[in-house]
Amino acid sequence: LFEKGYRNHLHRRNGEINLETRKLSVRERFFEEKEANPVRRYGPPVVDQEVFERNASRRYPEPGLNEATLWALAMTKSNRLESYGIAYALSCLNQKAREPNDPLTYIELEEYYHARVLKNALDVVGLEMHLLPPPPTTRFLLKSMVRLPKAVTNTMILCTEIAGVGAFSMLRDKAHELFDDQPEPLKRLDEWFQQILVDEACHVNYARSQLGPIRLQVAQATLPVVVRGFMGDMPEYKLLFGNKLMDRILAADVAGAVADYDDKFLPRL
């Protein structure tokens, strides 16, 4: 029952799949319309491009950066993780072994679009992002999630999807604090965050549907460890949110993160 409803949601939200071009027909039209009509903040930049670029390549940011710059760095480093992970997963994908309407095919292409979402969100605040590879530890973890047996990786995937909902919902909320002086650019940021959060909430529920009671308990127990493993390479989150991010992730309030979005899909499992 869950998978049938989720398949319908995925097709309605995304349209037809083209694995060769890595495009989803409905999603592509949405992106093309938004990108053809960009909305950007006006006036003095809230983040200096040179400072942003210099710190994007650093393991740990320079001291004294303001919150807007830390927010932008958290966004670009999240993009780094998303982009590398999904590009590696897609490179390992046997297209012939995957049915076109398999939920995993949709999920992987949704993740592929997330890199574009984050790039466009930074464009709203006047920043050009240059994608860099994540640090070695993160690359190892991402590759392990693709290569290890599904019995192991499915629990890790659930943990990372829950972390994604928590992290992106906090970045969205922080954007409201930092950029509420200009309503139209903030509205566009909300539209980009909605694209990610609705997807991530669905991914959490799909991952949960693939696990039995024992592995769900394992995922709950290992969630803090997995989160620290990935977040250790993105210290900007700690500087922005302190312990509040881990608290939100551990609360796993997926429904609350997307409560205001009409296109959410949160069935009972």
Side-chain angles (χ1 to χ4, degrees):
L1 183 61
F2 166 78
E3 188 154 322
K4 180 180 179 181
Y6 187 36
R7 284 177 186 267
N8 291 337
H9 166 83
L10 288 168
H11 189 268
R12 184 172 61 252
R13 181 170 170 78
N14 294 302
E16 301 299 325
I17 292 173
N18 188 326
L19 271 175
E20 290 185 2
T21 61
R22 297 180 179 177
K23 289 184 178 180
L24 300 163
S25 60
V26 172
R27 188 69 65 103
E28 190 65 23
R29 288 195 295 273
F30 173 87
F31 274 75
E32 287 176 352
E33 188 277 327
K34 296 298 180 186
E35 290 168 351
N37 299 279
V39 177
R40 297 186 178 92
R41 287 182 57 86
Y42 52 85
V46 290
V47 179
D48 182 89
Q49 178 73 34
E50 183 179 341
V51 173
F52 170 72
E53 289 184 1
R54 186 169 67 243
N55 282 274
S57 62
R58 288 173 58 99
R59 168 67 181 80
Y60 199 88
E62 299 168 357
L65 297 180
N66 61 30
E67 285 197 326
T69 304
L70 291 172
W71 176 89
L73 290 169
M75 292 280 283
T76 197
K77 289 188 177 182
S78 296
N79 197 351
R80 189 179 303 175
L81 184 152
E82 292 260 354
S83 298
Y84 185 89
I86 196 56
Y88 184 77
L90 289 171
S91 72
C92 298
L93 175 63
N94 182 352
Q95 295 187 21
K96 295 181 180 180
R98 181 74 62 79
E99 292 185 12
N101 290 322
D102 188 328
L104 280 175
T105 307
Y106 275 110
I107 287 170
E108 286 165 345
L109 290 181
E110 285 178 342
E111 297 282 4
Y112 186 72
Y113 273 91
H114 291 178
R116 195 165 160 188
V117 167
L118 293 166
K119 182 179 185 300
N120 287 336
L122 287 173
D123 185 63
V124 173
V125 298
L127 288 173
E128 182 180 358
M129 188 202 72
H130 301 290
L131 197 60
L132 299 172
T137 301
T138 299
R139 294 202 297 270
F140 173 78
L141 290 171
L142 292 169
K143 288 182 177 181
S144 297
M145 290 175 62
V146 175
R147 293 296 188 182
L148 288 172
K150 288 296 182 184
V152 176
T153 60
N154 280 348
T155 57
M156 293 178 64
I157 288 170
L158 175 56
C159 293
T160 59
E161 297 291 2
I162 291 173
V165 172
F168 288 124
S169 64
M170 291 204 76
L171 289 172
R172 175 200 59 194
D173 295 348
K174 180 59 70 172
H176 276 261
E177 292 179 25
L178 296 170
F179 311 126
D180 66 347
D181 59 319
Q182 295 184 20
E184 286 305 309
L186 181 58
K187 180 182 177 183
R188 179 57 60 89
L189 282 173
D190 262 335
E191 290 172 336
W192 290 129
F193 276 113
Q194 181 173 349
Q195 289 291 302
I196 285 186
L197 284 167
V198 170
D199 289 344
E200 294 287 301
C202 287
H203 299 174
V204 169
N205 283 291
Y206 180 76
R208 283 173 174 161
S209 77
Q210 303 301 297
L211 302 178
I214 293 177
R215 285 197 291 163
L216 283 171
Q217 291 179 2
V218 172
Q220 184 177 7
T222 58
L223 178 58
V225 178
V226 174
V227 171
R228 291 188 185 100
F230 282 106
M231 290 299 179
D233 284 332
M234 297 185 287
E236 291 80 6
Y237 276 99
K238 181 72 172 179
L239 293 170
L240 268 177
F241 304 119
N243 294 325
K244 292 180 181 178
L245 175 60
M246 183 64 80
D247 291 343
R248 181 171 295 194
I249 290 172
L250 294 181
D253 184 13
V254 174
V258 296
D260 295 332
Y261 300 144
D262 293 336
D263 55 344
K264 61 183 177 291
F265 177 72
L266 294 171
R268 292 184 181 274
L269 296 177

